[in-house]
Amino acid sequence: MKNVIDHFVIGADSLEQGEEALQKLLGVTVPRGGKHDAMSTHNCVMQSGNRTFLEILSIDPDAPAPGRVRWFSMDEAETQQRLAERPRALCWVVGTDDLDAVVAASPVDLGEILELSRGGRTWRLTVPRDGHLPEGGLLPAFIEWSPGPHPSEGQQDLGVRLTSIVLTHPQPERLTETLAALGVDHLARVQTGDRAIAFELDSPKGPVVID
């Protein structure tokens, strides 16, 4: 089973807020992406090296209510309050070639597998029914793309590279055991402290940490 970092998500109160904040941090303007009709969200995306991409995600104010809880805790009052302050590292997404096997073997509830599409691409993604982030985003969501080039190949390369995902947990051994059971412990660095997630990047403005 091949598990790799697919993309990482920075939540924002609005795309404009996210674009402005990352322009100051990274020295680049993240291009607009598309809309997620099933979730009433929209994004900005760009390559981040090694077939990965950075995503700024926010609720789409022009979209109708989605008829279900949005993904990545976007409907939770705590998340909305934190994003109103500034864009935040929200979660990470791992690409796999056998999503059913990942879900079947997982020691934690990763949620249901949603079948999603946009344009000519389809993908399958784990999303908890209540929209929460497992371990507050420290455990990844899992995605399986339909055959074809990885989406990052069609995105702009503005010189930003993901160098590390850093997961902070008060019981790092327990988190590491869960990550190992999911087959992703090699994809992130775990350290001791209050629960937090951070993305370490190289950018045109030098090393940057987004937390």
Side-chain angles (χ1 to χ4, degrees), residues 16 34 52 62 70 137 158 166 190 193:
E16 292 78 12
T52 68
D62 298 324
R70 290 179 177 88
L158 301 178
V166 183
V190 178

Side-chain angles (χ1 to χ4, degrees), residues 135 138 168-175 191-196:
E135 283 287 353
L138 301 189
T168 306
H169 193 279
Q171 297 177 288
E173 297 84 1
R174 181 170 68 82
L175 178 62
Q191 61 188 24
T192 306
D194 294 336
R195 280 183 176 84

Side-chain angles (χ1 to χ4, degrees), residues 5-208:
I5 296 173
D6 187 84
H7 66 280
F8 55 103
V9 182
I10 298 164
D13 188 54
S14 68
L15 290 188
E16 292 78 12
Q17 178 215 44
E19 289 168 330
E20 181 178 354
L22 266 66
Q23 171 64 46
K24 291 178 181 178
L25 283 172
L26 304 175
V28 302
T29 299
V30 186
R32 290 291 175 105
K35 295 177 179 287
H36 310 109
D37 293 336
M39 296 290 172
S40 295
T41 57
H42 57 173
N43 66 9
C44 298
V45 292
M46 68 176 177
Q47 289 185 29
S48 56
N50 298 320
R51 288 168 56 90
T52 68
F53 64 92
L54 177 156
E55 176 180 31
I56 302 173
L57 182 72
S58 75
I59 291 174
D60 183 353
D62 298 324
R68 59 155 293 143
V69 176
R70 290 179 177 88
W71 49 20
F72 304 147
S73 78
M74 296 295 287
D75 283 328
E76 294 181 9
E78 181 180 354
T79 296
Q80 293 180 0
Q81 290 169 2
R82 293 177 68 239
L83 298 186
E85 296 170 1
R86 64 174 174 86
R88 306 272 185 172
L90 201 58
C91 61
W92 53 308
V93 182
V94 168
T96 182
D97 57 4
D98 195 341
L99 187 58
D100 295 300
V102 169
V103 170
S106 175
V108 298
D109 182 10
L110 297 173
E112 59 184 326
I113 297 176
L114 298 185
E115 307 271 352
L116 301 165
S117 65
R118 186 171 66 218
R121 292 308 299 271
T122 62
W123 66 96
R124 306 169 71 221
L125 179 74
T126 57
V127 179
R129 292 181 184 276
D130 64 359
H132 82 280
L133 287 169
E135 283 287 353
L138 301 189
L139 296 180
F142 286 84
I143 192 168
E144 182 180 347
W145 291 98
S146 58
H150 188 261
S152 64
E153 295 183 23
Q155 297 166 2
Q156 288 191 42
D157 183 351
L158 301 178
V160 174
R161 295 291 181 267
L162 175 69
T163 58
S164 184
I165 293 176
V166 183
L167 310 175
T168 306
H169 193 279
Q171 297 177 288
E173 297 84 1
R174 181 170 68 82
L175 178 62
T176 299
E177 288 175 0
T178 304
L179 294 171
L182 291 168
V184 298
D185 54 310
H186 61 296
L187 299 179
R189 189 170 81 247
V190 178
Q191 61 188 24
T192 306
D194 294 336
R195 280 183 176 84
I197 182 171
F199 307 131
E200 296 182 347
L201 309 170
D202 279 337
S203 78
K205 297 189 74 170
V208 173

